[in-house]
Amino acid sequence: PNWYVSGAGGATWFESADGQAGGNSLETSFDTGYAFLGAAGRQFGNGFRAEGEFGYRRSEADTTQVNSGPELNTTGSMSALSFMANGYYDFDVGMKIKPYVGGGIGVARVSANDMRINGTQLADDSDAVFAYQAIGGLGYGLTQNLTAFVEYRYFATVDPTFNATGGGDYESQFMSHNVMLGLRYHF
């Protein structure tokens, strides 16, 4: 079967985000979050496959350092809704297990959801930006049509810019490490 659909869920770890707001440098750390992905694609029979994917990642903010000062309590979250075009290569090692590598490019709507530092709102806005990812994983053929997989994804975007509460801009980074478990159904 050449066509497939897939779904996956897992954990995401956002890297600490360096940012700028009101002439101040900010470094925000995040708790472990969650991620969900869905995709539809085609396998070409020569190890290559291509797919379109939508994904969602979210993590709660933990602390922020302003101008390298003490860590301040931070609430709210960062999230990204992404639409990606991915390419993969599956290595045929003569077993049910098939390692694969891939990458993708697309667009993500990154949101700063009611981000507050010590109770003062920093931003509650979103920005659509270019996104990219690198992927590596292992697939295991459960049946002829069903494959279980575990994978690692590095997902990042160009720096989103949000409208800061009280005026001005809040520019931040968005980079994440993701471990996913999923199923791929071929038809």
Side-chain angles (χ1 to χ4, degrees):
N2 293 325
W3 295 94
Y4 67 86
V5 293
S6 68
T12 185
W13 294 270
F14 291 4
E15 289 189 12
S16 292
D18 291 332
Q20 296 285 327
N24 296 304
S25 64
L26 309 174
E27 184 178 348
T28 303
S29 63
F30 297 89
D31 296 330
T32 300
Y34 59 88
F36 295 102
L37 306 171
R42 179 170 169 78
Q43 199 164 343
F44 296 105
N46 57 1
F48 289 99
R49 58 187 162 95
E51 68 181 25
E53 169 203 290
F54 69 91
Y56 182 76
R57 295 161 177 82
R58 184 181 180 104
S59 185
E60 299 297 318
D62 184 25
T63 62
T64 299
Q65 283 185 297
V66 179
N67 297 325
S68 300
E71 292 185 343
L72 303 174
N73 183 49
T74 306
T75 59
S77 65
M78 291 281 279
S79 62
L81 177 64
S82 59
F83 299 92
M84 308 293 288
N86 300 325
Y88 297 90
Y89 184 78
D90 295 298
F91 297 93
D92 188 353
V93 293
M95 301 177 357
K96 284 188 174 189
I97 293 178
K98 284 189 178 179
Y100 59 88
V101 295
I105 58 172
V107 65
R109 185 153 192 85
V110 180
S111 299
N113 306 298
D114 195 23
M115 296 277 293
R116 294 176 179 267
I117 301 174
N118 275 357
T120 301
Q121 189 176 60
L122 173 63
D124 190 15
D125 193 23
S126 59
D127 190 17
V129 291
F130 176 77
Y132 54 96
Q133 62 184 346
I135 307 161
L138 293 172
Y140 181 79
L142 299 172
T143 67
Q144 181 180 353
N145 294 64
L146 190 62
T147 301
F149 61 89
V150 59
E151 64 186 20
Y152 165 80
R153 291 173 179 245
Y154 175 78
F155 176 87
T157 72
V158 298
D159 293 349
T161 301
F162 310 106
N163 291 322
T165 304
D169 290 332
Y170 164 46
E171 183 177 314
S172 182
Q173 295 175 314
F174 190 92
M175 299 169 288
S176 67
H177 303 274
N178 307 265
V179 176
M180 311 296 292
L181 295 172
L183 292 173
R184 189 166 53 244
Y185 180 74
H186 302 260
F187 56 93

